[in-house]
Amino acid sequence: MKKLAGRLLHRFTNHGTALNAGHHCSQGTDQGISGLNNRKDLNMPSQGVHLHIHDRYVVMDNGILQVTLSNPGGIITGIKYNGIDNVLEVRNKETNRGYWDLHWNEPGGKGIFDVISGVTFRVIVETEELVEISFVRTWDPSLEGKYIPLNIDKRFIMLRGSSGVYSYGIYEHLKDWPGFELGETRIAFKLRKDKFQYMAVADDRKRIMPFPDDLCKGRCQTLDYQEASLLTAPCDPRLQGEVDDKYQYSCENKDLRVHGWISFDPPVGFWQITPSNEFRSGGPLKQNLTSHVGPTTLAVFHSTHYAGKTMMPRFEHGEPWKKVYGPVFIYLNSTANGDDPLCLWDDAKIKMMAEVESWPYSFVASDDYPKSEERGTARGRLLIRDRFINSDLISAGGAYVGLAPPGDSGSWQIECKGYQFWVVADEAGHFSIGNVRPGEYNLYAWVPGFIGDYHNGTIVTVTSGCMIEMGDIVYEPPRDGPTLWEIGIPDRKASEFFIPDPDLTLVNRVLVHDQDRFRQYGLWKRYTDLYPNDDLVYTVGVSDYRRDWFFAHVPRKKRDVHEGTTWQIRFNLENINQKANYKLQVAIASATLAELQIRVNDAGAIRPLFTTGLIGRDNSIARHGIHGVYMLYAVNIPGNRLVQGDNTIFLKQPRCNGPFQGIMYDYIRLEGPP
């Protein structure tokens, strides 16, 4: 892979304008990078916020930018900034520029996509310092089957001197209303394609992007699914032969703080900043879409991506519910002509950090959004007891520790009705979870380097202004005996395993670096290339999981059909205790309509020693995620199934209706008797 990366970097970045250009800001550039906003702050008092209400539109204006929304719909139809009359795509219908949307269904019914349009408009706060406005859509029984049974209040806030606009939403389901399922909800922005052509999601994922026209018939070839396209005749010839797929730019919640687009003429940035993950579904590792060809920028609050239907909450008749999504911040910045426009990304990251430090915001008007003094804190120390590693307690340094709604071990991964609050413990295992909304929670944790989930079922009741001292908490990871051998690293991902070079005709050039290589298109096909006839065999003590364990256990394609595959783990054991049980710990990072059957020393046994049955709807293999929903299985192996000397464990994945059915392993360990 390193050789490939070197070739691709040389081949694909030696252009007049690099697709993924590095850059350096000249000294003093940062002071002027936010353009109008910072210059006004330095030279003159900033203008107050003005609200203009018309029959069909509402305009918020603070002298830095103007935001126009439909009245009473609350759809953002225009954003005027730095000489651009509208940064949103003016060729789109007004309802397809900047909007809240959701995807829902009645229980057992078909999915319905809904751009949320308000029916009443009201002013919440109007001063020179800030304006907060509301667009509400209320539900009543006459709307059953047409609209989701929720009252939805979309809010927008503009501050004096601020180069952007905040938005949040309040969703409420009343007790007597019918049930429903919620598949997705988000905010979407469609920017001008003639201006915004450079996208930044992370320091190692930023580049010139294709035009939306490039994904039309005649300019591209659709690949194995409709979101993936090979660019055959792009408007920009530098992109010839590349693959574009919006899922290549997905990101984990914990890292999904800022992303967006840059216009080079004039030099303007448009950024979506999410200062907190408390309202997002699925916890810190949940993956979501970011920005992609359009140019489109999303603020995803809830989705089933990389999890499947297990991530779709079902609300029953008689179940009251209310949740606040956001606020998120839409930030615009600019720099003087002649300065490097790519420095706008650096400024956006600085602004993101400032927004994170300001959370929770003090200026939000709704009583459903508690201020800092109305929230609580829980702190303590997490320790690990694993007597087969150390007779003393071990500090859980780097552990992810969180408060989430009461549930079961690992339930935070698919929790989507309430709020979650997560931190990373310090080297000694100390953690402090601050700014927690009042409510009832359980304490959850997982520790890189150890399998399983910590869960304490005791209700943690957070009240306004409280400080909860939790003391020392001891996690005992699942283990029955000493490690005989292990494969991989227990970190809930498959990234440490062998990830092959992509097909050189199906490359995304910005993803050639080692840390992103799993995001390349079509890697599942490489298993058939590498193992055309016989399946993977891993020999303990000889093989190296970094080069000999394929990252995904997928079907093999033979002609036009797929066939199940059986991997082997070969190992040597002496001094077998045939009256005792051995334990095989199998941690799965992701599964998609798959099944894992385990046999020991008899590949042809009609009945496997263990089977998971059909598991998983993550679709992470197709969508370039290196993990999905974590699962752990502890498999008993009777000692009389093992023999002195050479043994083989057979891992069979028989489901093979398509190329994306499969498993990504996190970690496998064989334990001896206690």
Side-chain angles (χ1 to χ4, degrees):
M1 185 64 204
K2 290 182 178 178
K3 291 182 179 179
L4 172 71
R7 294 199 303 271
L8 292 178
L9 282 170
H10 175 76
R11 175 183 173 190
F12 294 142
T13 59
N14 286 327
H15 297 284
T17 301
L19 299 180
N20 180 24
H23 60 279
H24 300 280
C25 296
S26 59
Q27 186 175 4
T29 300
D30 285 349
Q31 292 184 349
I33 208 164
S34 292
L36 297 174
N37 185 13
N38 281 358
R39 292 190 191 102
K40 285 181 179 290
D41 287 345
L42 289 170
N43 300 324
M44 57 184 294
S46 58
Q47 173 185 309
V49 187
H50 295 156
L51 179 64
H52 308 281
I53 302 173
H54 308 285
D55 288 341
R56 296 181 56 237
Y57 299 99
V58 177
V59 180
M60 295 188 292
D61 184 353
N62 66 0
I64 299 171
L65 75 165
Q66 291 180 358
V67 177
T68 301
L69 302 101
S70 62
N71 184 5
I75 307 294
I76 300 179
T77 63
I79 300 177
K80 183 177 181 180
Y81 175 75
N82 197 42
I84 303 178
D85 285 341
N86 196 348
V87 302
L88 304 180
E89 182 51 81
V90 294
R91 301 176 190 178
N92 287 2
K93 293 181 179 179
E94 288 191 342
T95 54
N96 188 29
R97 296 180 186 177
Y99 53 87
W100 284 70
D101 69 28
L102 55 80
H103 192 273
W104 73 286
N105 59 269
E106 296 178 300
K110 293 183 178 180
I112 300 171
F113 176 75
D114 178 14
V115 173
I116 304 166
S117 184
V119 294
T120 59
F121 161 73
R122 63 191 177 117
V123 178
I124 305 298
V125 179
E126 183 179 7
T127 71
E128 287 208 340
E129 298 303 314
L130 73 91
V131 165
E132 178 169 341
I133 53 179
S134 164
F135 302 86
V136 175
R137 186 176 78 186
T138 54
W139 192 88
D140 65 64
S142 68
L143 301 173
E144 186 167 356
K146 182 178 181 181
Y147 291 118
I148 188 171
L150 290 173
N151 287 337
I152 298 177
D153 184 354
K154 300 184 298 180
R155 301 283 185 98
F156 298 89
I157 302 171
M158 180 176 283
L159 306 180
R160 179 200 287 266
S162 174
S163 187
V165 61
Y166 298 85
S167 186
Y168 68 103
I170 306 167
Y171 290 25
E172 184 174 21
H173 180 250
L174 299 186
K175 184 177 180 179
D176 296 331
W177 289 354
F180 67 94
E181 294 176 333
L182 180 63
E184 182 177 68
T185 190
R186 63 188 188 175
I187 308 176
F189 291 93
K190 308 293 182 65
L191 307 181
R192 286 179 59 164
K193 67 180 182 181
D194 64 330
K195 296 291 185 184
F196 294 92
Q197 292 153 22
Y198 189 94
M199 186 182 82
V201 172
D203 284 337
D204 58 355
R205 284 190 289 167
K206 54 186 192 294
R207 58 164 301 156
I208 295 288
M209 291 292 286
F211 287 92
D213 312 62
D214 294 335
L215 304 186
C216 297
K217 186 177 180 180
R219 290 191 176 275
C220 73
Q221 173 189 338
T222 301
L223 298 174
D224 282 2
Y225 48 89
Q226 63 180 7
E227 294 90 350
S229 300
L230 175 64
L231 305 179
T232 55
C235 300
D236 185 340
R238 294 173 299 174
L239 305 181
Q240 176 80 26
E242 282 213 59
V243 167
D244 178 75
D245 181 348
K246 66 182 181 181
Y247 293 109
Q248 292 178 322
Y249 302 103
S250 295
C251 190
E252 294 176 348
N253 282 343
K254 65 182 177 63
D255 302 318
L256 183 44
R257 296 293 200 188
V258 58
H259 59 95
W261 294 81
I262 293 174
S263 161
F264 292 122
D265 184 20
V268 165
F270 183 99
W271 310 102
Q272 193 275 304
I273 294 175
T274 304
S276 170
N277 287 322
E278 68 179 49
F279 44 80
R280 281 175 168 160
S281 299
L285 300 185
K286 172 68 171 68
Q287 297 169 90
N288 279 310
L289 293 172
T290 58
S291 293
H292 56 80
V293 168
T296 297
T297 286
L298 303 174
V300 179
F301 304 119
H302 165 72
S303 81
T304 59
H305 291 139
Y306 303 97
K309 289 185 177 180
T310 58
M311 197 75 191
M312 183 180 291
R314 181 175 181 136
F315 297 87
E316 305 292 348
H317 174 80
E319 179 182 358
W321 175 73
K322 182 184 281 191
K323 186 169 183 177
V324 177
Y325 291 110
V328 297
F329 185 46
I330 305 307
Y331 176 57
L332 288 88
N333 57 2
S334 61
T335 187
N337 287 321
D339 290 341
D340 187 349
L342 301 189
C343 288
L344 295 170
W345 165 243
D346 296 324
D347 175 68
K349 290 186 293 180
I350 293 170
K351 182 61 176 174
M352 174 271 291
M353 294 170 65
E355 296 297 314
V356 170
E357 289 297 316
S358 299
W359 185 272
Y361 296 132
S362 60
F363 50 79
V364 177
S366 173
D367 291 336
D368 294 312
Y369 177 84
K371 309 302 187 292
S372 179
E373 63 274 13
E374 298 170 324
R375 296 175 177 234
T377 298
R379 64 188 184 188
R381 179 171 64 155
L382 184 65
L383 302 168
I384 299 166
R385 177 180 288 125
D386 188 334
R387 58 193 174 90
F388 292 99
I389 293 179
N390 195 319
S391 59
D392 297 327
L393 292 174
I394 304 167
S395 298
Y400 287 77
V401 187
L403 290 174
D408 301 316
S409 178
S411 62
W412 57 268
Q413 294 184 98
I414 56 174
E415 206 293 317
C416 32
K417 292 184 178 180
Y419 303 92
Q420 300 195 35
F421 303 85
W422 289 84
V423 296
V424 177
D426 67 17
E427 292 183 1
H430 293 104
F431 62 88
S432 180
I433 308 172
N435 292 318
V436 181
R437 285 171 160 264
E440 293 186 342
Y441 302 91
N442 282 172
L443 184 70
Y444 301 85
W446 69 274
V447 189
F450 296 87
I451 62 173
D453 280 273
Y454 173 81
H455 171 238
N456 190 324
T458 302
I459 296 296
V460 179
T461 302
V462 176
T463 58
S464 178
C466 74
M467 172 64 75
I468 301 174
E469 300 287 355
M470 308 194 78
D472 286 350
I473 298 163
V474 178
Y475 170 47
E476 295 190 41
R479 180 187 284 278
D480 278 14
T483 299
L484 300 181
W485 50 258
E486 58 186 350
I487 300 172
I489 300 170
D491 61 357
R492 300 181 175 237
K493 300 179 182 180
S495 52
E496 71 269 28
F497 297 126
F498 177 70
I499 298 174
D501 293 346
D503 184 327
L504 286 175
T505 66
L506 297 171
V507 170
N508 182 322
R509 299 167 190 172
V510 81
L511 304 177
V512 298
H513 304 284
D514 280 353
Q515 67 269 24
D516 289 318
R517 66 189 187 278
F518 67 86
R519 303 183 190 276
Q520 293 285 1
Y521 172 83
L523 298 183
W524 59 88
K525 297 181 179 182
R526 299 304 318 281
Y527 182 79
T528 298
D529 296 337
L530 295 169
Y531 300 93
N533 300 305
D534 300 317
D535 284 319
L536 181 151
V537 176
Y538 187 93
T539 303
V540 173
V542 176
S543 301
D544 183 339
Y545 63 78
R546 294 169 295 183
R547 65 170 186 266
D548 300 318
W549 189 273
F550 199 77
F551 79 101
H553 192 166
V554 291
R556 177 191 294 104
K557 188 173 184 180
K558 281 291 187 71
R559 298 181 178 88
D560 294 326
V561 298
H562 292 86
E563 61 183 24
T565 51
T566 302
W567 292 7
Q568 299 180 37
I569 304 173
R570 297 177 179 176
F571 57 99
N572 186 277
L573 284 183
E574 303 295 339
N575 302 317
I576 302 291
N577 184 345
Q578 295 198 337
K579 295 182 179 181
N581 282 325
Y582 292 69
K583 186 78 73 175
L584 187 70
Q585 304 280 7
V586 182
I588 291 177
S590 177
T592 302
L593 297 173
E595 178 183 2
L596 175 60
Q597 298 177 0
I598 297 177
R599 294 172 172 84
V600 178
N601 289 329
D602 185 0
I606 295 175
R607 294 186 62 183
L609 175 68
F610 171 85
T611 177
T612 61
L614 183 65
I615 56 171
R617 291 181 175 270
D618 300 356
N619 209 17
S620 297
I621 294 170
R623 289 175 172 169
H624 324 294
I626 203 63
H627 68 88
V629 177
Y630 176 83
M631 292 175 279
L632 178 65
Y633 296 94
V635 182
N636 278 319
I637 301 178
N640 59 16
R641 295 289 189 102
L642 301 168
V643 298
Q644 296 287 124
D646 293 335
N647 292 265
T648 303
I649 290 176
F650 299 92
L651 306 178
K652 183 174 183 178
Q653 201 298 102
R655 309 281 180 152
C656 53
N657 292 325
F660 309 126
Q661 290 180 273
I663 292 168
M664 285 190 274
Y665 299 98
D666 167 42
Y667 173 77
I668 301 176
R669 179 173 76 213
L670 181 64
E671 299 168 359

